[in-house]
């Protein structure tokens, strides 16, 4: 099994962002993939998406800005099925690679 960790630091919006100087909260985000050829290929594509700033977005939650997952689907649990962003989900690797 592969476990990916994304550490997003708390920071402030930069010049050119919607709210320059305003703070936002980061956090640790985990994603899970099977440790096989397809899972490893998907991990490399997710890494490229992260390097291009496509993995996360900043949203307002209860009046405070925070980093959240973006539009690329990630499995954040080993169980719970598709409804809970977990496995089993036989179509996930195909679907996420299509998005990527």
């Amino acid at each position: 099994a592969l476990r990916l960790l994304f550490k997003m630091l708390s920071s402030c919006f930069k010049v050119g962002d919607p709210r320059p100087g305003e703070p936002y909260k980061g956090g640790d985000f985990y994603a899970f993939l099977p440790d096989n050829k397809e899972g490893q290929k998907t991990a490399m594509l997710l890494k490229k998406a992260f390097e291009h700033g496509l993995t996360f977005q900043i949203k307002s939650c209860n009046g405070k800005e925070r980093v959240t997952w973006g539009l690329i689907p990630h499995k954040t649990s080993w169980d719970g099925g598709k409804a809970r962003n977990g496995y089993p989900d036989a179509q996930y690797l195909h679907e996420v690679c299509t998005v990527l």
Side-chain angles (χ1 to χ4, degrees), residues 11-86:
S11 189
C12 291
F13 286 101
K14 295 178 178 54
V15 173
D17 287 334
R19 297 173 57 189
E22 291 292 315
Y24 61 85
K25 184 174 175 19
D28 291 347
F29 297 82
Y30 292 92
F32 300 92
L33 294 165
D35 191 2
N36 58 28
K37 185 177 178 182
E38 197 172 1
Q40 291 169 6
K41 175 187 166 195
T42 303
M44 293 303 292
L45 292 173
L46 289 172
K47 180 180 181 211
K48 285 183 182 181
F50 177 76
E51 290 169 347
H52 285 89
L54 303 173
T55 305
F56 296 96
Q57 57 191 353
I58 300 171
K59 285 189 174 178
S60 183
C61 183
N62 296 327
K64 299 195 181 216
E65 305 295 320
R66 59 175 290 151
V67 176
T68 63
W69 290 108
L71 299 177
I72 299 169
H74 286 76
K75 289 298 178 188
T76 57
S77 174
W78 277 118
D79 52 28
K82 188 172 185 170
R84 295 186 178 208
N85 295 322

